[in-house]
Amino acid sequence: MRELLEILERNSRVSVGEIAAMLNKSEYEVEKEIERLEKEKIILSYGALINWERYGDDVVTAIIEINLTPQREVGFDAIAERIYRYDEVKTVYLMSGNFDLLVVIEGKSLKDVSKFVSTRLSTIEGVTQTRSHFLLKAYKKDGAILDNEEEDRRLVIVP
């Protein structure tokens, strides 16, 4: 039921009744399908996308490229699991190309993020190199434009 997933991905606050109307299904069918999708871990979580900068919180986000030596029998999985268990880590991807893992972390300050990388990430057995990139400004995140206060630049024409 791809349409259901697309609706929830756009707005997880849509009521079951609204979804049922959009899909021409009963509320019972929609509820059961959502339960199944959650049980099968197709739907992993529900959440809101927050513009923390506009709220007033200063959060430092960094993208860390990590090179690894794969471990016998488990490859990169054991190291990736060790990394994604840290609270500071928001996202971990196995990549192709010049590095093995892409890790997104958040901290309260540049110093906190740097300390995390130097004392926790880089010291993990199998990690051979890290490269840190600090985000300066986010324009769009997860499909949502974060700062859309662009003024109308059209010329006013008066008759």
Side-chain angles (χ1 to χ4, degrees):
M1 198 175 244
R2 183 175 182 84
E3 290 173 294
L4 169 62
L5 292 172
E6 289 172 349
I7 291 168
L8 289 173
E9 186 176 46
R10 273 190 310 276
N11 182 0
S12 62
R13 293 190 66 191
V14 176
S15 72
V16 171
E18 290 174 294
I19 295 171
M22 287 183 227
L23 299 176
N24 200 25
K25 305 273 185 195
S26 72
E27 287 186 29
Y28 177 79
E29 289 175 295
V30 171
E31 285 176 356
K32 288 300 175 194
E33 184 64 12
I34 290 172
E35 285 176 18
R36 181 187 72 77
L37 293 167
E38 290 170 344
K39 185 177 179 182
E40 292 180 12
K41 296 197 183 274
I42 293 169
I43 296 175
L44 299 173
S45 70
Y46 299 91
L49 180 59
I50 310 296
N51 185 340
W52 289 109
E53 186 176 326
R54 178 166 284 185
Y55 178 73
D57 278 7
D58 289 328
V59 175
V60 175
T61 304
I63 297 173
I64 315 300
E65 299 172 358
I66 301 177
N67 285 67
L68 305 172
T69 301
Q71 296 179 334
R72 184 178 296 260
E73 313 247 344
V74 293
F76 299 115
D77 294 346
I79 299 171
E81 181 178 348
R82 187 164 173 198
I83 290 170
Y84 70 62
R85 298 242 177 242
Y86 288 113
D87 290 337
E88 295 88 345
V89 174
K90 302 303 174 196
T91 306
V92 178
Y93 294 110
L94 180 63
M95 304 292 291
S96 65
N98 294 332
F99 55 94
D100 302 310
L101 292 181
L102 179 110
V103 178
V104 179
I105 63 173
E106 289 181 354
K108 293 185 186 292
S109 69
L110 191 66
K111 186 176 181 178
D112 286 346
V113 172
S114 298
K115 184 177 179 184
F116 176 79
V117 172
S118 64
T119 62
R120 298 242 178 109
L121 285 184
S122 63
T123 60
I124 294 172
E125 187 176 340
V127 171
T128 60
Q129 185 178 28
T130 64
R131 284 177 297 287
S132 301
H133 307 276
F134 292 93
L135 299 184
L136 303 176
K137 180 177 180 178
Y139 295 98
K140 187 174 185 177
K141 184 175 180 182
D142 296 334
I145 297 171
L146 298 179
D147 192 12
N148 197 17
E149 292 184 9
E150 186 175 306
E151 60 185 65
D152 191 352
R153 295 182 187 171
R154 296 176 292 176
L155 294 175
V156 177
I157 299 175
V158 181

